[in-house]
Amino acid sequence: MAERTIRLTGWKALAALVVLAGFVGYRYSAMRATLATEAADELRMWLAAEYQAAGLPELERALAAGDRAAAERSAAEIIARDRISFVDLRARGKPDDLVVRAEIAVDGRPPPVGGAIRYFRMRYSTVSGWRLVRETTVLSYLLRIF
């Protein structure tokens, strides 16, 4: 079997480097662009479920006590917990293992559960998009340099 080798020298090597840098730059910029939209939507979905579930015991108590006014207030508060906005959303790491720092506001106020600043480990795939892996710590975010 004949052995084939590829040699890139001169302008061909430079062109290959430019193409490679363009591909890496495109993938990086595409991942960062979707962080603000698709990753935020994924985080918003998980946080809304967490915040709304935290309000259910109060609603159940009001319903069990037969206090209709308290139940209505509690239900309205649970619905308002779906209005999640991100004051700041930053990320560190590679798309396949990213640590995201999210500064969260719920209906313009601090979140009912957890802190206003939380950290999450996420993964990005061109096939499935963004996925939330788990909540992590500030130390994970600080140690993730690239």
Side-chain angles (χ1 to χ4, degrees):
M1 179 179 237
E3 185 177 319
R4 294 188 122 189
T5 59
I6 297 175
R7 276 192 170 187
L8 294 176
T9 58
W11 68 270
K12 293 177 186 178
L14 183 61
L17 283 174
V18 168
V19 167
L20 181 64
F23 175 74
V24 170
Y26 169 75
R27 184 157 189 249
Y28 181 79
S29 65
M31 185 268 306
R32 294 294 176 184
T34 62
L35 176 68
T37 56
E38 294 173 20
D41 291 342
E42 181 77 8
L43 275 175
R44 195 173 287 114
M45 179 185 68
W46 285 97
L47 289 170
E50 179 183 349
Y51 297 156
Q52 289 173 344
L56 289 177
E58 184 180 327
L59 177 61
E60 290 172 352
R61 280 192 297 274
L63 289 172
D67 188 358
R68 183 177 174 152
E72 287 177 358
R73 278 193 310 273
S74 182
E77 184 179 312
I78 289 173
I79 292 169
R81 291 179 180 190
D82 190 36
R83 298 184 198 120
I84 297 170
S85 61
F86 295 107
V87 178
D88 188 28
L89 197 63
R90 298 180 191 178
R92 289 185 180 180
K94 299 176 188 171
D96 60 340
D97 187 24
L98 199 70
V99 179
V100 176
R101 177 191 183 271
E103 191 172 339
I104 307 161
V106 178
D107 202 21
R109 296 176 295 192
V113 179
I117 298 175
R118 293 174 70 180
Y119 299 88
F120 302 94
R121 189 168 296 272
M122 298 186 77
R123 288 208 167 103
Y124 178 76
S125 166
T126 52
V127 176
S128 62
W130 287 99
R131 289 182 303 131
L132 177 67
V133 177
R134 66 178 183 276
E135 188 169 357
T136 189
T137 63
V138 64
L139 187 59
S140 292
Y141 180 77
L142 293 174
L143 291 177
R144 178 72 52 171
I145 297 172
F146 299 108

